Amino acid sequence: MCGIVAAVSTRNIVPVLLEGLKRLEYRGYDSCGVAVHLNGELTRARSTSRVSELEGNVAADGIQGGTGIAHTRWATHGVPAVHNAHPHFSSGPSSKTDSDNIASVGRIALVHNGIIENHEELRADLQAKGYVFTSQTDTEVIAHLVDHLYSGDLLDAVQRTVVQLRGAYAIAVFCRDEPHRVIGAREGSPLVMGVGTDERNGDHFLASDAMALAGVTNQIVYLEEGDVVDMQLGKVWISARAESGRYANVNREVRTVNAHSGAAELGPYRHYMQKEIFEQPRAIADTLDAVQGVSPELFGDGAHRVFKDIDSVLILACGTSYYSGSVAKYWLESIAKIPTSVEIASEYRYRDSVPNPRTLVVTITQSGETADTLAALKHARNLGMKHTLTICNVSTSAMVRECALAYITRAGVEIGVASTKAFSTQLVGLFLLTLALAQTRGHLTDVQEQEHLKALRHLPVAVQAVLALEPQIIAWSEEFARKENALFLGRGLHYPIALEGALKLKEISYIHAEAYPAGELKHGPLALVTSEMPVVTIAPNDALLEKLKSNLQEVRARGGELFVFADSDTRIESGPGLHVIRMPEHYGALSPILHVVPLQLLAYHTACARGTDVDKPRNLAKSVTVE
């Protein structure tokens, strides 16, 4: 979601800040801004357009400086508007007129990711003290509070401020009266520090994502919960709050992180989403690269002991990751014979549940920073479920650090907001988990293991064959682009794939789409079926095929228009009101990974035909770091 970049240096740091914002654009945003020290005062530029327009405004206004902060905002509190855009400045208490208070106007500049839950009571208290608010954001509260507590030492003011905040935050702050100093702090929202490699300029950096610093530094410190960092020219200190409430300096590991800037290059593709759909064969191959055989140790040291100790699985995830977990439930129960439940992370921690200490808690997240999933994991641990494992695409993320075990998918950077290659590689990781648990529980023979591994290794070739269907799917998309509603049907382990297909279509084309198990048609959704409601159906050649054919007849009898992705041997033929695209081959248990690809292409080309912003759909963000 929101992105932070900050720096201290003796050189003009504005180009670095703006380039960092460009690298974070993929996360989604509706406004952006930058603030620096300039001629002894705080100066900023803000925009509700793209970073490229902000860059033009900065150049026109001559904004430059060695200390600065920058931000891309995804609106939560307050509409997308310039007055709500970050950075925010403190105003100073307007009810006092002595010289010190006049000097405090515009003294503090701040950017913030997250949500401050007690912002209303803090706002009321600050207004009573004379502070004037110019935005509807919760962030402005923090800027005024730092100003109120400031008495010559910005670090002290920030440390005293954050103890009063409830909620999630990552902040970067600087003060007009202390040039070449930036303070950062985090709680529940990611923040990294970049160690500068240019000793002449004394550079140090902050960012919400190491990718923002690609090309600037690869020396990264991942700040931990509650950390406060003090960056000055050539010097940096990190402090953490002890149980006593006092802060003490701590050491944090400096890691070499190669956040490749080249991953964000579009190349010959029209959109990043298209590029990422076509990267799936390589991403799957990379995710399987180190797999020589099935073993619990694929998931970390001690995994065999954990797998022997558990008797159930709880999957926690949101959005697309929830659908990958829903597919995994079918695999885990049919192959590994282990009871599995799948919970929407944002709902799980707010309901009463029955904890089982012998449950393996599996989180699924592309970024590893999804706030709801992190909170759900902590809730599960607080209930006494200590066995934790994550399927994640970012090895340095908070989720990987929080879980005892992990399988790191290797999809690479995913720029498009609508997830594609991250989803397919999650499914690969979850299938490997299924096999490892089946092996541990005595439900996987050597012959079965080799058959499954052979199928996995053939997946990249099989996906490539599905991608060759693109011209046929483009023809369908021209029909879909004229519709405003669509229905997706699947049965068994392909029902979650139908859900994912509907999600992709609604995310980027803005066509209302929903998915149902095909057997549920007669229990309500059939009332929606008309010739204006295209019905997309996933038709693999599995045990439910004949049942599915009956469901298709129910649609045709009501004048519905069917669009079917059918395995080649299903004997479903095109005819009036029935359009069929044949999949290259039936793929057994791994069929969901193949069948999701044409649904991704259908959504993508429909969105292109409708002229929407495919990579940055309205109202959505890539990394959902707020509740």
Side-chain angles (χ1 to χ4, degrees):
M1 295 185 114
C2 305
I4 288 173
V5 192
V8 292
S9 178
T10 58
R11 60 180 167 133
N12 176 25
I13 212 68
V14 171
V16 172
L17 298 178
L18 292 173
E19 183 61 29
L21 291 189
K22 290 178 182 178
R23 297 191 190 286
L24 295 178
E25 283 189 288
Y26 76 97
R27 296 164 71 103
Y29 66 103
D30 44 50
S31 63
C32 51
V34 61
V36 297
H37 271 287
L38 181 62
N39 299 325
E41 297 294 336
L42 304 184
T43 301
R44 68 185 169 191
R46 298 183 290 178
S47 172
T48 54
S49 187
R50 296 299 182 202
V51 174
S52 57
E53 180 180 284
L54 175 68
E55 190 172 30
N57 295 342
V58 166
D61 294 342
I63 295 176
Q64 57 182 305
T67 301
I69 55 180
H71 192 263
T72 53
R73 175 180 184 252
W74 185 82
T76 54
H77 297 73
V79 299
V82 170
H83 68 277
N84 286 325
H86 300 212
H88 286 283
F89 288 175
S90 61
S91 65
S94 61
S95 61
K96 299 178 182 179
T97 57
D98 59 76
S99 59
D100 286 341
N101 284 305
I102 293 172
S104 75
V105 175
R107 182 167 61 178
I108 301 297
L110 181 142
V111 292
H112 162 232
N113 290 354
I115 290 178
I116 304 304
E117 295 173 354
N118 61 332
H119 71 98
E120 290 179 341
E121 58 194 78
L122 291 172
R123 179 185 288 257
D125 183 59
L126 288 162
Q127 285 174 327
K129 291 180 169 67
Y131 283 87
V132 176
F133 285 77
T134 59
S135 79
Q136 289 82 48
T137 67
D138 52 341
T139 300
E140 191 180 2
V141 167
I142 315 174
H144 293 326
L145 186 56
V146 172
D147 180 272
H148 174 64
L149 296 173
Y150 182 76
S151 57
D153 183 352
L154 184 60
L155 175 64
D156 174 69
V158 172
Q159 288 175 336
R160 292 166 62 198
T161 293
V162 295
V163 298
Q164 298 188 42
L165 304 180
R166 292 200 311 269
Y169 59 81
I171 59 174
V173 194
F174 73 91
C175 178
R176 182 200 60 206
D177 301 337
E178 296 187 64
H180 301 308
R181 188 183 199 186
V182 172
I183 307 296
R186 67 151 299 199
E187 183 75 48
S189 194
L191 192 66
V192 304
M193 186 196 75
V195 179
T197 56
D198 187 341
E199 293 183 2
R200 293 174 304 165
N201 293 314
D203 297 347
H204 285 302
F205 309 91
L206 283 176
S208 50
D209 187 324
M211 187 176 174
L213 304 179
V216 177
T217 181
N218 64 354
Q219 299 300 293
I220 301 296
V221 175
Y222 287 87
L223 299 176
E224 298 185 10
E225 293 288 270
D227 280 357
V228 178
V229 58
D230 183 355
M231 299 194 314
Q232 301 182 37
L233 290 177
K235 299 176 288 186
V236 65
W237 298 267
I238 300 174
S239 58
R241 191 167 65 246
E243 290 184 6
S244 64
R246 293 180 177 272
Y247 279 88
N249 287 347
V250 294
N251 292 317
R252 298 288 184 235
E253 179 185 359
V254 179
R255 305 187 190 187
T256 300
V257 176
N258 293 311
H260 298 293
S261 58
E265 295 173 0
L266 188 57
Y269 295 97
R270 184 176 174 186
H271 298 94
Y272 286 108
M273 183 178 179
Q274 184 186 30
K275 177 189 179 201
E276 288 152 10
I277 290 171
F278 277 84
E279 284 177 340
Q280 286 176 113
R282 179 204 55 77
I284 291 170
D286 288 349
T287 296
L288 290 166
D289 185 53
V291 179
Q292 301 302 316
V294 175
S295 168
E297 274 60 46
L298 289 170
F299 300 87
D301 295 337
H304 185 269
R305 174 187 53 78
V306 171
F307 288 2
K308 293 288 286 186
D309 188 48
I310 64 167
D311 61 12
S312 62
V313 174
L314 168 64
I315 296 174
L316 302 172
C318 299
T320 286
S321 296
Y322 172 76
Y323 296 146
S324 68
S326 299
V327 173
K329 174 181 170 69
Y330 286 92
W331 288 336
L332 287 162
E333 296 197 335
S334 65
I335 299 173
K337 312 296 183 188
I338 187 166
T340 301
S341 57
V342 188
E343 296 266 4
I344 296 172
S346 58
E347 295 290 327
Y348 170 68
R349 70 187 179 114
Y350 295 111
R351 72 172 188 85
D352 292 331
S353 59
V354 182
N356 173 8
R358 296 189 62 193
T359 293
L360 176 64
V361 179
V362 177
T363 63
I364 310 171
T365 164
Q366 184 273 329
S367 67
E369 306 290 350
T370 308
D372 286 317
T373 310
L374 283 165
L377 170 70
K378 293 175 184 178
H379 177 67
R381 276 206 308 249
N382 290 338
L383 292 176
M385 293 185 281
K386 63 181 179 180
H387 299 311
T388 58
L389 182 152
T390 189
I391 306 292
C392 184
N393 193 40
V394 182
S395 62
T396 53
S397 64
M399 188 64 76
V400 174
R401 296 195 298 274
E402 290 287 338
C403 287
L405 303 173
Y407 191 85
I408 307 303
T409 60
R410 297 169 71 181
V413 175
E414 191 176 62
I415 304 295
V417 167
S419 180
T420 52
K421 63 178 180 174
F423 177 75
S424 55
T425 53
Q426 284 173 354
L427 289 174
V428 170
L430 289 163
F431 193 75
L432 287 170
L433 175 62
T434 298
L435 297 183
L437 285 170
Q439 182 187 74
T440 304
R441 295 167 64 81
H443 297 301
L444 186 71
T445 67
D446 290 344
V447 171
Q448 290 170 330
E449 176 185 344
Q450 291 308 310
E451 288 175 348
H452 286 308
L453 287 173
K454 181 180 178 181
L456 281 168
R457 291 180 181 127
H458 182 63
L459 260 180
V461 174
V463 171
Q464 196 67 53
V466 177
L467 290 169
L469 300 173
E470 186 180 33
Q472 299 176 60
I473 295 169
I474 291 173
W476 280 12
S477 70
E478 294 169 358
E479 178 75 16
F480 272 73
R482 296 190 290 269
K483 306 297 184 182
E484 294 301 328
N485 301 280
L487 188 62
F488 286 69
L489 301 177
R491 296 204 72 149
L493 79 170
H494 292 84
Y495 166 51
I497 298 303
L499 287 164
E500 173 64 8
L503 176 63
K504 285 291 157 286
L505 189 66
K506 72 181 75 169
E507 279 183 313
I508 62 171
S509 75
Y510 315 146
I511 293 172
H512 169 248
E514 53 184 310
Y516 276 88
E520 284 293 291
L521 265 176
K522 61 182 101 32
H523 297 289
L526 204 55
L528 296 173
V529 172
T530 70
S531 59
E532 290 301 306
M533 170 78 84
V535 180
V536 182
T537 307
I538 304 165
N541 188 11
D542 59 15
L544 290 170
L545 176 61
E546 295 306 317
K547 298 288 187 185
L548 181 64
K549 287 181 177 179
S550 297
N551 303 139
L552 299 184
Q553 291 301 324
E554 293 169 359
V555 173
R556 294 188 73 184
R558 273 77 180 178
E561 195 89 356
L562 283 158
F563 295 81
V564 183
F565 292 102
D567 284 351
S568 57
D569 49 2
T570 55
R571 297 189 301 279
I572 299 175
E573 304 295 336
S574 295
L578 177 58
H579 313 277
V580 179
I581 290 179
R582 301 211 172 278
M583 299 288 285
E585 58 184 305
H586 175 57
Y587 222 65
L590 291 169
S591 174
I593 299 176
L594 293 191
H595 272 278
V596 77
V597 175
L599 301 182
Q600 295 168 347
L601 286 169
L602 179 62
Y604 169 73
H605 285 292
T606 301
C608 288
R610 288 169 69 95
T612 62
D613 191 343
V614 172
D615 288 330
K616 301 181 181 73
R618 66 189 183 202
N619 304 333
L620 300 181
K622 182 66 181 173
S623 181
V624 185
T625 54
V626 298
E627 275 198 77

